[in-house]
Amino acid sequence: MQPHAGQLQTGHPRRWAILGVLVISLLVVVLDNTVLNVALRTIADPEHGLGADQGQLEWAINSYTLVFAGLLFTAGIMADRFGRRISLALGLAVFGLASLISAYSQTPGQLIGARALMGLGAAAVMPATLSIIANVFEPHERGRAIGVWAGAVGLAVAIGPVIGGLLLENFWWGSVFLINVPVVIVGIVLLFVLVPESRDPKPGRIDFVGVLLSVIGLSLLTYGVITGGEDGFGHPQAWGTLAGAAIVLTSFVLYERRISFPSLDVKLFKNSTFSASTGMVGLVFFASMGAMFFSAFYLQLVRGYGPLASGALFVPFAVGQLVFAPRSAAMVKRFGPKAVGTVGLLLVAAGLFGWVFIGASTPIWIVGALFFLMGVGMANVMPPATETIMAALPREKAGVGSAVSNTVRQVGGALGVAVLGAILSSFYRDDMEAATQALPDAAREAAQESISGAYGVASQSGAAGQALISSANDAFLSAMHYAAIGTTVFALLGALVAAIWLPGKRPAQAPAATSAEGLAEEQGVELVEA
Protein backbone atom coordinates (compact mmCIF):
# COMPACT_ATOMS: atom_id res chain seq x y z
CA MET A 1 0.00 0.00 0.00
CA GLN A 2 1.54 3.30 -1.12
CA PRO A 3 1.00 6.23 1.26
CA HIS A 4 -0.77 9.21 -0.29
CA ALA A 5 0.85 12.56 -0.80
CA GLY A 6 -0.24 14.05 2.50
CA GLN A 7 1.39 11.23 4.40
CA LEU A 8 4.60 11.47 2.45
CA GLN A 9 4.95 15.15 3.27
CA THR A 10 5.36 14.36 6.98
CA GLY A 11 6.77 10.84 6.82
CA HIS A 12 4.95 7.65 7.73
CA PRO A 13 1.71 8.30 9.68
CA ARG A 14 2.78 5.84 12.41
CA ARG A 15 6.38 7.03 12.48
CA TRP A 16 6.53 7.85 16.22
CA ALA A 17 4.93 4.55 17.20
CA ILE A 18 7.37 2.83 14.85
CA LEU A 19 10.22 4.65 16.58
CA GLY A 20 8.96 3.24 19.88
CA VAL A 21 9.19 -0.31 18.52
CA LEU A 22 12.69 0.36 17.21
CA VAL A 23 13.70 1.71 20.63
CA ILE A 24 12.51 -1.54 22.26
CA SER A 25 14.55 -3.53 19.72
CA LEU A 26 17.59 -1.38 20.41
CA LEU A 27 17.11 -1.60 24.17
CA VAL A 28 17.49 -5.36 24.25
CA VAL A 29 20.79 -5.22 22.35
CA VAL A 30 22.32 -2.42 24.43
CA LEU A 31 20.82 -3.72 27.68
CA ASP A 32 22.78 -6.94 27.30
CA ASN A 33 26.20 -5.29 27.38
CA THR A 34 25.39 -2.98 30.29
CA VAL A 35 24.02 -5.89 32.33
CA LEU A 36 27.13 -7.92 31.58
CA ASN A 37 29.41 -5.25 33.07
CA VAL A 38 27.72 -5.72 36.45
CA ALA A 39 27.88 -9.52 36.17
CA LEU A 40 31.62 -9.77 35.39
CA ARG A 41 32.72 -10.35 38.98
CA THR A 42 30.04 -13.01 39.56
CA ILE A 43 30.94 -14.86 36.34
CA ALA A 44 34.59 -14.80 37.46
CA ASP A 45 33.66 -16.41 40.79
CA PRO A 46 34.41 -20.18 40.68
CA GLU A 47 31.67 -20.94 43.22
CA HIS A 48 28.78 -18.72 42.14
CA GLY A 49 29.78 -18.26 38.50
CA LEU A 50 31.96 -19.98 35.90
CA GLY A 51 35.42 -19.21 37.31
CA ALA A 52 36.33 -17.17 34.20
CA ASP A 53 39.72 -15.45 34.20
CA GLN A 54 40.26 -11.91 32.89
CA GLY A 55 41.09 -13.05 29.36
CA GLN A 56 37.91 -15.15 29.23
CA LEU A 57 35.87 -12.23 30.53
CA GLU A 58 37.30 -10.03 27.80
CA TRP A 59 36.36 -12.66 25.23
CA ALA A 60 32.84 -12.95 26.68
CA ILE A 61 32.49 -9.27 25.75
CA ASN A 62 34.49 -9.34 22.52
CA SER A 63 33.14 -12.55 20.94
CA TYR A 64 29.78 -10.80 20.83
CA THR A 65 31.28 -7.55 19.60
CA LEU A 66 33.47 -9.04 16.86
CA VAL A 67 30.70 -11.13 15.30
CA PHE A 68 28.41 -8.12 15.61
CA ALA A 69 30.90 -5.81 13.92
CA GLY A 70 32.02 -8.33 11.30
CA LEU A 71 28.50 -9.08 10.07
CA LEU A 72 26.96 -5.61 10.26
CA PHE A 73 27.86 -4.74 6.66
CA THR A 74 26.31 -7.90 5.26
CA ALA A 75 23.31 -7.63 7.59
CA GLY A 76 22.68 -4.07 6.37
CA ILE A 77 22.84 -5.18 2.72
CA MET A 78 20.58 -8.18 3.37
CA ALA A 79 18.07 -5.96 5.17
CA ASP A 80 18.07 -3.56 2.21
CA ARG A 81 17.63 -6.50 -0.20
CA PHE A 82 15.10 -8.76 1.55
CA GLY A 83 13.30 -6.31 3.81
CA ARG A 84 14.23 -4.39 6.94
CA ARG A 85 11.30 -5.60 9.04
CA ILE A 86 11.95 -9.29 8.42
CA SER A 87 15.67 -8.75 9.07
CA LEU A 88 14.88 -7.07 12.37
CA ALA A 89 12.46 -9.84 13.39
CA LEU A 90 14.93 -12.63 12.56
CA GLY A 91 17.72 -10.81 14.38
CA LEU A 92 15.61 -10.46 17.52
CA ALA A 93 14.66 -14.16 17.38
CA VAL A 94 18.31 -15.26 17.11
CA PHE A 95 19.29 -12.86 19.87
CA GLY A 96 16.60 -14.25 22.17
CA LEU A 97 17.58 -17.87 21.48
CA ALA A 98 21.27 -17.12 22.08
CA SER A 99 20.37 -15.35 25.33
CA LEU A 100 18.72 -18.55 26.52
CA ILE A 101 21.84 -20.56 25.66
CA SER A 102 24.06 -17.99 27.42
CA ALA A 103 21.94 -18.18 30.57
CA TYR A 104 22.52 -21.91 30.93
CA SER A 105 26.18 -22.09 29.86
CA GLN A 106 28.28 -24.43 32.01
CA THR A 107 31.78 -23.26 31.08
CA PRO A 108 33.43 -19.97 30.03
CA GLY A 109 33.93 -21.45 26.56
CA GLN A 110 30.21 -22.16 26.17
CA LEU A 111 29.39 -18.63 27.27
CA ILE A 112 31.86 -17.17 24.77
CA GLY A 113 30.27 -19.21 21.97
CA ALA A 114 26.73 -18.26 22.97
CA ARG A 115 27.73 -14.62 23.14
CA ALA A 116 29.07 -14.88 19.58
CA LEU A 117 25.63 -16.15 18.49
CA MET A 118 24.05 -13.18 20.28
CA GLY A 119 26.33 -10.97 18.18
CA LEU A 120 24.89 -12.57 15.03
CA GLY A 121 21.37 -11.60 16.10
CA ALA A 122 22.41 -8.10 17.13
CA ALA A 123 24.08 -7.57 13.74
CA ALA A 124 20.70 -8.02 12.07
CA VAL A 125 18.93 -5.74 14.55
CA MET A 126 21.09 -2.63 14.70
CA PRO A 127 21.34 -1.53 11.02
CA ALA A 128 17.67 -2.25 10.44
CA THR A 129 16.60 0.17 13.19
CA LEU A 130 18.50 3.15 11.75
CA SER A 131 17.55 2.40 8.15
CA ILE A 132 13.86 2.18 9.09
CA ILE A 133 14.17 5.55 10.84
CA ALA A 134 15.71 7.01 7.68
CA ASN A 135 12.78 5.77 5.59
CA VAL A 136 9.80 6.66 7.79
CA PHE A 137 11.00 10.11 8.89
CA GLU A 138 11.49 13.11 6.64
CA PRO A 139 14.86 14.95 6.79
CA HIS A 140 13.51 17.78 8.97
CA GLU A 141 12.46 15.28 11.68
CA ARG A 142 15.22 12.73 11.26
CA GLY A 143 17.71 14.49 13.54
CA ARG A 144 15.16 14.55 16.36
CA ALA A 145 14.30 10.88 15.79
CA ILE A 146 17.97 9.90 15.86
CA GLY A 147 18.35 11.90 19.07
CA VAL A 148 15.56 9.81 20.64
CA TRP A 149 17.18 6.66 19.23
CA ALA A 150 20.49 7.66 20.83
CA GLY A 151 18.69 8.52 24.06
CA ALA A 152 17.42 4.94 24.15
CA VAL A 153 21.04 3.88 24.53
CA GLY A 154 21.16 6.05 27.64
CA LEU A 155 17.96 4.43 28.92
CA ALA A 156 19.47 0.96 28.48
CA VAL A 157 22.62 2.08 30.26
CA ALA A 158 20.42 3.39 33.09
CA ILE A 159 18.21 0.39 33.65
CA GLY A 160 20.71 -2.32 32.64
CA PRO A 161 23.04 -2.22 35.65
CA VAL A 162 20.17 -1.79 38.10
CA ILE A 163 18.20 -4.69 36.62
CA GLY A 164 21.39 -6.74 36.52
CA GLY A 165 22.13 -5.95 40.15
CA LEU A 166 18.62 -6.90 41.27
CA LEU A 167 18.79 -10.17 39.36
CA LEU A 168 22.25 -11.08 40.66
CA GLU A 169 21.27 -10.44 44.26
CA ASN A 170 18.18 -12.65 43.97
CA PHE A 171 18.94 -15.24 41.26
CA TRP A 172 21.83 -17.01 39.58
CA TRP A 173 24.16 -15.23 37.16
CA GLY A 174 22.40 -16.60 34.05
CA SER A 175 19.31 -14.55 34.86
CA VAL A 176 21.03 -11.45 33.42
CA PHE A 177 20.77 -13.09 29.98
CA LEU A 178 17.37 -14.69 30.52
CA ILE A 179 15.81 -11.24 31.01
CA ASN A 180 16.33 -10.58 27.28
CA VAL A 181 13.80 -13.22 26.24
CA PRO A 182 10.52 -11.47 27.23
CA VAL A 183 11.77 -8.18 25.77
CA VAL A 184 12.50 -9.95 22.48
CA ILE A 185 9.04 -11.50 22.38
CA VAL A 186 7.32 -8.14 22.96
CA GLY A 187 9.54 -6.51 20.34
CA ILE A 188 8.74 -9.09 17.65
CA VAL A 189 4.97 -8.85 18.24
CA LEU A 190 4.96 -5.04 18.05
CA LEU A 191 7.23 -5.15 15.02
CA PHE A 192 4.70 -7.07 12.92
CA VAL A 193 1.79 -4.99 14.21
CA LEU A 194 3.21 -1.51 13.60
CA VAL A 195 6.27 -1.45 11.35
CA PRO A 196 5.88 -1.46 7.53
CA GLU A 197 8.24 -3.49 5.40
CA SER A 198 10.72 -1.54 3.28
CA ARG A 199 13.63 -2.45 1.03
CA ASP A 200 16.11 -1.01 -1.43
CA PRO A 201 14.78 -1.47 -5.00
CA LYS A 202 18.38 -1.75 -6.24
CA PRO A 203 20.28 -3.73 -3.60
CA GLY A 204 23.92 -4.76 -3.96
CA ARG A 205 25.37 -8.26 -3.93
CA ILE A 206 26.40 -9.92 -0.69
CA ASP A 207 30.17 -9.85 -0.24
CA PHE A 208 30.92 -13.15 1.49
CA VAL A 209 34.70 -12.94 0.96
CA GLY A 210 34.84 -9.46 2.48
CA VAL A 211 32.79 -10.56 5.49
CA LEU A 212 35.08 -13.54 6.09
CA LEU A 213 38.22 -11.41 5.83
CA SER A 214 36.84 -8.74 8.19
CA VAL A 215 35.80 -11.24 10.87
CA ILE A 216 39.14 -13.08 10.70
CA GLY A 217 41.14 -9.84 10.72
CA LEU A 218 39.27 -8.28 13.64
CA SER A 219 39.39 -11.52 15.64
CA LEU A 220 43.15 -11.83 15.13
CA LEU A 221 43.64 -8.20 16.10
CA THR A 222 41.66 -8.56 19.33
CA TYR A 223 43.24 -11.91 20.19
CA GLY A 224 46.71 -10.43 19.66
CA VAL A 225 45.99 -7.47 21.92
CA ILE A 226 44.52 -9.65 24.69
CA THR A 227 47.40 -12.13 24.43
CA GLY A 228 49.92 -9.29 24.52
CA GLY A 229 48.34 -8.00 27.70
CA GLU A 230 48.56 -11.43 29.33
CA ASP A 231 51.97 -12.65 28.09
CA GLY A 232 53.70 -9.47 26.89
CA PHE A 233 53.77 -8.10 23.35
CA GLY A 234 57.26 -9.55 22.81
CA HIS A 235 55.73 -13.04 22.95
CA PRO A 236 55.61 -14.64 19.45
CA GLN A 237 51.95 -15.56 19.87
CA ALA A 238 51.09 -11.88 20.45
CA TRP A 239 53.16 -10.12 17.79
CA GLY A 240 52.66 -12.97 15.31
CA THR A 241 48.89 -12.72 15.65
CA LEU A 242 48.99 -8.93 15.34
CA ALA A 243 51.11 -9.21 12.20
CA GLY A 244 48.61 -11.70 10.78
CA ALA A 245 45.77 -9.29 11.62
CA ALA A 246 47.54 -6.47 9.76
CA ILE A 247 47.97 -8.68 6.67
CA VAL A 248 44.34 -9.87 6.67
CA LEU A 249 42.86 -6.42 7.27
CA THR A 250 45.05 -4.89 4.58
CA SER A 251 43.88 -7.62 2.20
CA PHE A 252 40.29 -6.81 3.18
CA VAL A 253 40.70 -3.13 2.29
CA LEU A 254 42.42 -3.90 -1.02
CA TYR A 255 39.75 -6.46 -1.93
CA GLU A 256 36.91 -4.09 -1.05
CA ARG A 257 38.40 -1.43 -3.34
CA ARG A 258 38.34 -3.78 -6.34
CA ILE A 259 34.85 -5.29 -6.25
CA SER A 260 31.60 -3.72 -7.50
CA PHE A 261 29.47 -4.49 -4.43
CA PRO A 262 31.74 -4.28 -1.39
CA SER A 263 30.47 -4.95 2.13
CA LEU A 264 32.45 -1.86 3.15
CA ASP A 265 32.71 0.82 0.49
CA VAL A 266 36.14 2.15 1.46
CA LYS A 267 35.69 4.97 -1.06
CA LEU A 268 33.25 6.54 1.41
CA PHE A 269 36.21 7.40 3.59
CA LYS A 270 37.51 9.81 0.95
CA ASN A 271 34.83 12.14 2.30
CA SER A 272 36.58 13.84 5.21
CA THR A 273 33.31 14.61 7.01
CA PHE A 274 32.21 10.98 6.81
CA SER A 275 35.63 9.76 7.96
CA ALA A 276 35.74 12.23 10.83
CA SER A 277 32.29 11.23 12.05
CA THR A 278 33.06 7.53 12.02
CA GLY A 279 36.48 8.16 13.55
CA MET A 280 35.12 10.10 16.51
CA VAL A 281 32.49 7.40 17.12
CA GLY A 282 35.19 4.72 17.20
CA LEU A 283 37.46 6.75 19.47
CA VAL A 284 34.78 7.66 22.00
CA PHE A 285 33.60 4.05 22.28
CA PHE A 286 37.18 2.84 22.52
CA ALA A 287 37.63 5.10 25.54
CA SER A 288 34.25 4.63 27.22
CA MET A 289 33.94 0.83 26.88
CA GLY A 290 37.45 0.35 28.23
CA ALA A 291 36.59 2.58 31.20
CA MET A 292 33.38 0.65 31.88
CA PHE A 293 35.40 -2.58 31.98
CA PHE A 294 37.84 -1.49 34.69
CA SER A 295 35.29 0.55 36.66
CA ALA A 296 33.11 -2.54 37.23
CA PHE A 297 36.00 -4.29 39.02
CA TYR A 298 36.86 -1.15 40.96
CA LEU A 299 33.33 -0.79 42.34
CA GLN A 300 32.72 -4.44 43.20
CA LEU A 301 36.16 -5.46 44.47
CA VAL A 302 38.19 -2.44 45.62
CA ARG A 303 35.12 -0.66 47.03
CA GLY A 304 33.20 -3.83 47.96
CA TYR A 305 29.83 -2.80 46.53
CA GLY A 306 27.33 -5.51 45.65
CA PRO A 307 25.92 -5.91 42.14
CA LEU A 308 22.88 -3.71 42.82
CA ALA A 309 24.82 -0.86 44.45
CA SER A 310 27.51 -0.90 41.77
CA GLY A 311 24.83 -1.00 39.09
CA ALA A 312 23.15 2.04 40.64
CA LEU A 313 26.43 3.94 40.37
CA PHE A 314 26.30 3.60 36.57
CA VAL A 315 22.93 5.39 36.53
CA PRO A 316 24.40 8.95 36.45
CA PHE A 317 26.13 8.03 33.17
CA ALA A 318 22.77 7.06 31.74
CA VAL A 319 20.95 10.06 33.17
CA GLY A 320 23.41 12.35 31.41
CA GLN A 321 22.56 10.67 28.10
CA LEU A 322 18.82 10.52 28.73
CA VAL A 323 18.59 14.22 29.55
CA PHE A 324 20.91 15.62 26.89
CA ALA A 325 20.71 13.23 23.89
CA PRO A 326 17.16 14.27 22.86
CA ARG A 327 18.30 17.92 22.96
CA SER A 328 21.44 17.39 20.91
CA ALA A 329 19.63 17.85 17.56
CA ALA A 330 18.63 21.39 18.58
CA MET A 331 22.18 22.04 19.78
CA VAL A 332 23.60 20.91 16.45
CA LYS A 333 21.12 23.11 14.58
CA ARG A 334 22.13 26.12 16.67
CA PHE A 335 25.89 25.64 16.96
CA GLY A 336 26.80 23.08 14.26
CA PRO A 337 28.21 19.52 14.50
CA LYS A 338 31.81 20.73 14.97
CA ALA A 339 31.15 22.69 18.15
CA VAL A 340 28.76 20.17 19.69
CA GLY A 341 30.91 17.12 18.87
CA THR A 342 34.14 18.72 20.05
CA VAL A 343 32.67 19.90 23.36
CA GLY A 344 31.04 16.50 23.87
CA LEU A 345 34.35 14.68 23.45
CA LEU A 346 36.14 17.13 25.74
CA LEU A 347 33.53 16.41 28.43
CA VAL A 348 34.07 12.67 27.97
CA ALA A 349 37.83 13.20 28.24
CA ALA A 350 37.39 15.23 31.44
CA GLY A 351 35.22 12.50 32.96
CA LEU A 352 37.76 9.81 32.05
CA PHE A 353 40.74 11.80 33.29
CA GLY A 354 39.09 12.10 36.69
CA TRP A 355 39.67 8.36 37.19
CA VAL A 356 43.39 9.05 37.42
CA PHE A 357 42.73 10.52 40.87
CA ILE A 358 40.26 7.90 42.12
CA GLY A 359 41.51 5.88 45.09
CA ALA A 360 40.21 3.25 47.48
CA SER A 361 38.57 5.84 49.76
CA THR A 362 37.50 8.53 47.29
CA PRO A 363 33.99 9.83 48.17
CA ILE A 364 31.66 7.79 46.02
CA TRP A 365 29.69 10.85 44.86
CA ILE A 366 32.79 11.88 42.91
CA VAL A 367 32.63 8.60 40.97
CA GLY A 368 28.96 9.27 40.22
CA ALA A 369 29.80 12.82 39.08
CA LEU A 370 32.46 11.51 36.70
CA PHE A 371 29.98 9.03 35.21
CA PHE A 372 27.44 11.85 34.76
CA LEU A 373 30.02 14.03 33.02
CA MET A 374 30.87 11.18 30.65
CA GLY A 375 27.18 10.62 29.93
CA VAL A 376 26.58 14.27 29.08
CA GLY A 377 29.57 14.19 26.74
CA MET A 378 28.44 10.98 25.02
CA ALA A 379 24.96 12.48 24.53
CA ASN A 380 26.53 15.27 22.50
CA VAL A 381 28.83 13.03 20.46
CA MET A 382 26.64 10.22 19.11
CA PRO A 383 23.61 12.09 17.62
CA PRO A 384 25.59 14.66 15.56
CA ALA A 385 28.07 11.99 14.43
CA THR A 386 25.32 9.53 13.49
CA GLU A 387 23.28 12.16 11.66
CA THR A 388 26.38 13.29 9.71
CA ILE A 389 27.13 9.69 8.71
CA MET A 390 23.55 9.02 7.61
CA ALA A 391 23.34 12.35 5.71
CA ALA A 392 26.41 11.39 3.65
CA LEU A 393 24.51 8.58 1.90
CA PRO A 394 21.31 8.40 -0.19
CA ARG A 395 18.34 7.21 1.85
CA GLU A 396 17.99 3.98 -0.13
CA LYS A 397 21.46 3.04 1.18
CA ALA A 398 20.53 3.76 4.78
CA GLY A 399 21.46 0.23 5.81
CA VAL A 400 25.03 0.78 4.62
CA GLY A 401 25.38 4.01 6.58
CA SER A 402 23.94 2.40 9.68
CA ALA A 403 26.27 -0.57 9.30
CA VAL A 404 29.36 1.64 8.99
CA SER A 405 28.37 3.69 12.05
CA ASN A 406 27.66 0.67 14.22
CA THR A 407 30.63 -1.35 12.98
CA VAL A 408 33.05 1.42 13.88
CA ARG A 409 31.34 1.75 17.26
CA GLN A 410 31.54 -1.97 18.01
CA VAL A 411 35.12 -2.35 16.77
CA GLY A 412 36.12 0.69 18.81
CA GLY A 413 34.46 -0.78 21.90
CA ALA A 414 36.04 -4.21 21.40
CA LEU A 415 39.50 -2.76 20.93
CA GLY A 416 38.95 -0.48 23.93
CA VAL A 417 38.22 -3.47 26.17
CA ALA A 418 41.15 -5.42 24.68
CA VAL A 419 43.76 -2.65 24.69
CA LEU A 420 42.85 -1.12 28.04
CA GLY A 421 42.39 -4.59 29.50
CA ALA A 422 45.92 -5.36 28.29
CA ILE A 423 47.26 -2.19 29.95
CA LEU A 424 45.43 -3.09 33.14
CA SER A 425 46.77 -6.67 33.12
CA SER A 426 50.34 -5.66 32.34
CA PHE A 427 50.73 -3.04 35.08
CA TYR A 428 48.78 -5.11 37.61
CA ARG A 429 50.94 -8.18 37.00
CA ASP A 430 54.18 -6.23 37.34
CA ASP A 431 53.09 -4.71 40.66
CA MET A 432 51.92 -8.06 42.05
CA GLU A 433 55.14 -9.99 41.44
CA ALA A 434 56.76 -9.06 44.75
CA ALA A 435 53.58 -9.63 46.77
CA THR A 436 53.06 -13.17 45.43
CA GLN A 437 56.59 -14.57 45.56
CA ALA A 438 55.88 -16.71 48.65
CA LEU A 439 52.71 -18.30 47.21
CA PRO A 440 52.57 -21.77 45.60
CA ASP A 441 52.82 -21.74 41.81
CA ALA A 442 49.10 -22.20 41.10
CA ALA A 443 48.05 -19.59 43.67
CA ARG A 444 50.71 -17.13 42.47
CA GLU A 445 49.57 -17.46 38.87
CA ALA A 446 45.92 -16.91 39.83
CA ALA A 447 46.73 -13.88 42.00
CA GLN A 448 48.85 -12.30 39.27
CA GLU A 449 46.25 -12.98 36.57
CA SER A 450 43.63 -10.54 37.87
CA ILE A 451 42.31 -8.86 40.97
CA SER A 452 39.42 -11.36 40.98
CA GLY A 453 41.98 -14.18 41.11
CA ALA A 454 43.81 -12.49 43.98
CA TYR A 455 40.59 -12.22 45.98
CA GLY A 456 39.92 -15.90 45.35
CA VAL A 457 43.39 -16.88 46.60
CA ALA A 458 43.05 -14.55 49.61
CA SER A 459 39.79 -16.21 50.67
CA GLN A 460 41.72 -19.48 51.12
CA SER A 461 44.84 -17.99 52.72
CA GLY A 462 43.63 -17.38 56.26
CA ALA A 463 45.28 -14.49 58.12
CA ALA A 464 47.66 -13.79 55.23
CA GLY A 465 44.70 -13.14 52.92
CA GLN A 466 44.14 -9.55 54.04
CA ALA A 467 47.69 -8.54 53.14
CA LEU A 468 47.25 -10.09 49.68
CA ILE A 469 43.98 -8.19 49.19
CA SER A 470 45.66 -4.94 50.19
CA SER A 471 48.48 -5.55 47.69
CA ALA A 472 45.99 -6.50 44.96
CA ASN A 473 43.94 -3.34 45.55
CA ASP A 474 47.03 -1.13 45.38
CA ALA A 475 48.24 -2.86 42.21
CA PHE A 476 44.82 -2.61 40.58
CA LEU A 477 44.44 1.09 41.41
CA SER A 478 47.87 1.88 39.98
CA ALA A 479 47.06 -0.09 36.81
CA MET A 480 43.62 1.57 36.59
CA HIS A 481 45.25 5.01 36.67
CA TYR A 482 47.45 4.13 33.68
CA ALA A 483 44.41 2.74 31.84
CA ALA A 484 42.49 5.96 32.61
CA ILE A 485 45.30 7.99 31.05
CA GLY A 486 44.96 5.80 27.96
CA THR A 487 41.18 6.38 27.74
CA THR A 488 41.70 10.13 28.10
CA VAL A 489 44.24 10.24 25.26
CA PHE A 490 41.84 8.50 22.87
CA ALA A 491 38.94 10.79 23.84
CA LEU A 492 41.16 13.83 23.21
CA LEU A 493 42.13 12.41 19.81
CA GLY A 494 38.42 12.19 19.03
CA ALA A 495 37.97 15.85 20.05
CA LEU A 496 40.85 16.83 17.75
CA VAL A 497 39.28 14.93 14.84
CA ALA A 498 35.93 16.65 15.46
CA ALA A 499 37.49 20.11 15.73
CA ILE A 500 39.41 19.76 12.47
CA TRP A 501 37.10 17.83 10.14
CA LEU A 502 33.49 18.00 11.33
CA PRO A 503 31.36 20.61 9.50
CA GLY A 504 30.46 23.86 11.22
CA LYS A 505 27.03 25.39 11.47
CA ARG A 506 25.06 24.64 8.32
CA PRO A 507 23.16 27.31 6.39
CA ALA A 508 19.38 27.15 6.38
CA GLN A 509 18.17 24.41 4.04
CA ALA A 510 15.90 24.99 1.10
CA PRO A 511 12.27 23.88 1.54
CA ALA A 512 11.81 20.15 1.02
CA ALA A 513 9.86 18.78 -1.93
CA THR A 514 6.13 18.47 -1.31
CA SER A 515 4.90 16.24 -4.11
CA ALA A 516 4.36 12.56 -3.50
CA GLU A 517 6.38 11.65 -6.56
CA GLY A 518 9.32 13.85 -5.61
CA LEU A 519 9.47 12.56 -2.07
CA ALA A 520 9.12 8.95 -3.13
CA GLU A 521 11.98 9.44 -5.56
CA GLU A 522 14.08 11.12 -2.85
CA GLN A 523 13.41 8.26 -0.44
CA GLY A 524 14.22 5.63 -3.05
CA VAL A 525 12.18 3.18 -1.00
CA GLU A 526 9.63 0.56 -1.86
CA LEU A 527 6.96 0.44 0.86
CA VAL A 528 5.06 -2.81 1.34
CA GLU A 529 1.81 -3.03 3.25
CA ALA A 530 2.40 -3.83 6.91
Side-chain angles (χ1 to χ4, degrees):
M1 181 178 69
Q2 295 285 353
H4 58 69
Q7 292 173 331
L8 277 169
Q9 289 175 13
T10 57
H12 194 281
R14 296 195 303 267
R15 60 194 180 280
W16 294 107
I18 291 168
L19 180 62
V21 178
L22 300 179
V23 164
I24 291 174
S25 303
L26 179 68
L27 277 177
V28 72
V29 174
V30 180
L31 188 73
D32 172 72
N33 273 336
T34 59
V35 167
L36 182 59
N37 279 332
V38 178
L40 288 174
R41 181 193 174 186
T42 306
I43 295 173
D45 190 307
E47 183 178 350
H48 300 102
L50 299 176
D53 60 32
Q54 182 162 313
Q56 290 169 329
L57 291 175
E58 290 177 34
W59 274 112
I61 296 172
N62 286 337
S63 63
Y64 169 91
T65 301
L66 290 174
V67 173
F68 189 177
L71 296 180
L72 269 171
F73 298 123
T74 296
I77 292 171
M78 291 184 71
D80 287 343
R81 174 186 287 271
F82 298 112
R84 287 137 185 170
R85 183 177 67 176
I86 190 63
S87 175
L88 185 52
L90 288 173
L92 285 172
V94 170
F95 191 90
L97 176 62
S99 296
L100 258 178
I101 298 171
S102 296
Y104 293 99
S105 297
Q106 300 298 310
T107 66
Q110 289 177 11
L111 177 61
I112 291 168
R115 290 275 299 161
L117 185 60
M118 290 175 73
L120 173 62
V125 170
M126 190 67 90
T129 60
L130 263 181
S131 55
I132 290 172
I133 287 173
N135 281 287
V136 300
F137 284 91
E138 291 304 305
H140 68 278
E141 287 187 320
R142 196 186 309 152
R144 182 181 169 199
I146 289 176
V148 173
W149 179 89
V153 175
L155 178 62
V157 174
I159 64 177
V162 176
I163 291 174
L166 285 169
L167 291 171
L168 289 169
E169 293 197 353
N170 293 280
F171 304 99
W172 96 113
W173 66 267
S175 61
V176 301
F177 296 108
L178 204 59
I179 192 66
N180 294 334
V181 177
V183 182
V184 162
I185 293 171
V186 171
I188 291 175
V189 171
L190 291 176
L191 186 64
F192 282 104
V193 171
L194 293 172
V195 180
E197 184 61 283
S198 65
R199 58 178 66 92
D200 182 357
K202 298 177 181 178
R205 297 194 192 101
I206 298 173
D207 173 23
F208 292 107
V209 174
V211 170
L212 184 62
L213 286 173
S214 66
V215 172
I216 292 173
L218 291 172
S219 298
L220 287 174
L221 178 61
T222 305
Y223 179 79
V225 171
I226 292 175
T227 302
E230 293 177 346
D231 303 326
F233 287 95
H235 194 282
Q237 191 172 356
W239 64 258
T241 305
L242 290 172
I247 293 171
V248 174
L249 291 174
T250 300
S251 301
F252 168 72
V253 172
L254 293 175
Y255 179 77
E256 296 299 286
R257 291 181 63 183
R258 291 177 52 202
I259 62 176
S260 302
F261 297 94
S263 58
L264 171 61
D265 187 357
V266 294
K267 295 176 183 176
L268 291 173
F269 291 94
K270 292 181 178 178
N271 182 321
S272 61
T273 301
F274 181 89
S275 297
S277 299
T278 54
M280 60 187 278
V281 167
L283 288 165
V284 77
F285 269 85
F286 181 103
S288 61
M289 290 300 292
M292 291 294 181
F293 182 77
F294 65 66
S295 62
F297 287 98
Y298 167 79
L299 292 172
Q300 294 192 37
L301 289 171
V302 177
R303 299 304 294 262
Y305 289 104
L308 179 57
S310 62
L313 285 166
F314 283 103
V315 170
F317 176 80
V319 170
Q321 292 196 59
L322 277 172
V323 172
F324 288 92
R327 293 166 172 77
S328 65
M331 297 289 287
V332 170
K333 184 177 181 181
R334 182 173 180 181
F335 299 107
K338 181 192 293 286
V340 175
T342 302
V343 171
L345 278 156
L346 289 174
L347 290 175
V348 172
L352 292 169
F353 187 65
W355 281 88
V356 174
F357 305 100
I358 295 295
S361 59
T362 301
I364 203 62
W365 69 265
I366 295 178
V367 174
L370 292 177
F371 277 136
F372 179 76
L373 191 61
M374 289 167 58
V376 173
M378 289 284 285
N380 288 288
V381 171
M382 291 308 300
T386 304
E387 170 65 11
T388 302
I389 290 168
M390 299 297 287
L393 296 175
R395 293 174 74 177
E396 69 271 14
K397 300 298 181 184
V400 177
S402 173
V404 171
S405 171
N406 287 292
T407 297
V408 170
R409 181 170 69 180
Q410 294 301 321
V411 171
L415 291 178
V417 171
V419 172
L420 295 167
I423 293 172
L424 199 68
S425 294
S426 180
F427 282 101
Y428 172 83
R429 188 182 303 107
D430 289 344
D431 286 351
M432 283 295 288
E433 283 186 3
T436 56
Q437 286 301 315
L439 294 174
D441 289 345
R444 182 171 64 252
E445 184 177 345
Q448 289 182 2
E449 173 67 30
S450 67
I451 188 173
S452 298
Y455 270 66
V457 172
S459 67
Q460 303 172 14
S461 301
Q466 189 57 46
L468 181 61
I469 287 177
S470 179
S471 297
N473 284 347
D474 290 343
F476 178 84
L477 286 170
S478 176
M480 184 182 77
H481 294 157
Y482 283 107
I485 292 171
T487 64
T488 304
V489 168
F490 279 93
L492 289 174
L493 283 174
L496 184 63
V497 167
I500 295 175
W501 286 292
L502 240 58
K505 185 177 179 180
R506 294 169 183 155
Q509 294 181 345
T514 55
S515 70
E517 295 80 4
L519 284 168
E521 182 179 354
E522 177 195 341
Q523 290 177 352
V525 61
E526 175 188 344
L527 290 175
V528 182
E529 185 173 0

